Amino acid sequence: DAEITQSPRHKITETGRQVTLACHQTWNHNNMFWYRQDLGHGLRLIHYSYGVQDTNKGEVSDGYSVSRSNTEDLPLTLESAASSQTSVYFCASSAGPGGGAFFGQGTRLTVV
Amino acid sequence: RKEVEQDPGPFNVPEGATVAFNCTYSNSASQSFFWYRQDCRKEPKLLMSVYSSGNEDGRFTAQLNRASQYISLLIRDSKLSDSATYLCVVTIYSSASKIIFGSGTRLSIRP
């Protein structure tokens, strides 16, 4: 069955370190998204991509970057981790207009 | 103003009750609409799509009103297992599509 997986599921890192969160989908979806969700709050869009070599900034993109070198993967990089980036990160993919998005299980990131 | 707005709740209703949520969106370019369910500390999962003609899936009914730019979800005969946060989702198409999530409405069903 097609799926979308994130790794690691949990990570603790120190302030100032570079961190990369992986997202891999086997749906062959063109659209991929990264969201963060803070305790008691909704999902906020960080970055998104509509295909290989395409990346776009979401509403909370500062301090984050993504790259899309193939259809399956959209890694999220925190250039210099800050405590304010402690959150749960969700990756999602969708086939395109009219189709719902499917989510990975999330990565719980703690920056100390 | 947020692009998608929901009443955060929480809604606390007895088992067997009927409960309704509304969601409003501000961008008239919005073209696809969904309801998602999110359990505590888990990923959101697609519950159902929403169409202007209305659609039903068992105890769940979704409705879209394009003129007023709102979406509704009705849950009949609520079960304890319906306790979750319900997210309203809108896909906006301009030069490309973007998926926007509402902040969610918390529902708690009590025995």
Side-chain angles (χ1 to χ4, degrees):
Chain A
D1 285 345
E3 60 180 3
I4 178 166
T5 55
Q6 293 182 233
S7 62
R9 294 290 309 280
H10 302 269
K11 183 165 183 70
I12 300 175
T13 191
E14 294 177 341
T15 301
R17 295 218 180 230
Q18 184 181 80
V19 176
T20 297
L21 310 182
C23 176
H24 179 81
Q25 53 99 0
T26 58
W27 294 96
N28 200 34
H29 286 163
N30 283 325
N31 301 339
M32 295 185 73
F33 309 84
W34 273 104
Y35 295 88
R36 63 177 285 177
Q37 187 173 38
D38 301 306
L39 193 63
H41 290 83
L43 292 157
R44 290 188 291 169
L45 183 62
I46 305 171
H47 280 286
Y48 54 105
S49 168
Y50 295 128
V52 176
Q53 302 302 332
D54 176 76
T55 60
N56 306 279
K57 294 182 178 180
E59 62 178 309
V60 290
S61 60
D62 287 348
Y64 303 94
S65 64
V66 293
S67 61
R68 188 89 180 271
S69 59
N70 58 53
T71 301
E72 296 80 16
D73 299 290
L74 186 70
L76 177 72
T77 297
L78 286 68
E79 304 294 344
S80 176
S83 57
S84 59
Q85 294 177 308
T86 293
S87 189
V88 178
Y89 291 85
F90 289 106
C91 178
S93 72
S94 75
F102 297 92
F103 281 80
Q105 292 178 297
T107 294
R108 193 169 301 277
L109 177 68
T110 302
V111 183
V112 297
Chain B
R1 183 187 171 191
K2 290 183 179 179
E3 290 186 275
V4 177
E5 297 212 51
Q6 293 183 249
D7 182 342
F11 286 64
N12 189 322
V13 302
E15 197 172 5
T18 295
V19 61
F21 309 134
N22 285 332
C23 163
T24 58
Y25 61 95
S26 59
N27 193 322
S28 59
S30 305
Q31 293 191 19
S32 297
F33 308 89
F34 308 90
W35 282 102
Y36 279 70
R37 171 195 169 124
Q38 185 174 27
D39 294 292
C40 188
R41 303 170 80 84
K42 298 285 185 67
E43 75 273 24
K45 293 187 178 178
L46 179 61
L47 181 65
M48 58 196 306
S49 301
V50 188
Y51 307 111
S52 297
S53 55
N55 50 305
E56 193 172 305
D57 183 1
R59 298 180 292 108
F60 297 81
T61 301
Q63 189 75 49
L64 166 65
N65 185 317
R66 284 190 182 272
S68 302
Q69 295 187 194
Y70 81 79
I71 306 152
S72 63
L73 177 67
L74 182 76
I75 305 175
R76 291 182 300 278
D77 187 25
S78 54
K79 311 291 185 191
L80 295 175
S81 57
D82 294 333
S83 296
T85 296
Y86 290 84
L87 305 168
C88 170
V89 180
V90 169
T91 301
I92 299 171
Y93 307 139
S94 49
S95 56
S97 64
K98 189 167 61 169
I99 300 177
I100 305 295
F101 283 79
S103 297
T105 299
R106 275 179 49 209
L107 173 64
S108 179
I109 308 296
R110 61 180 188 270

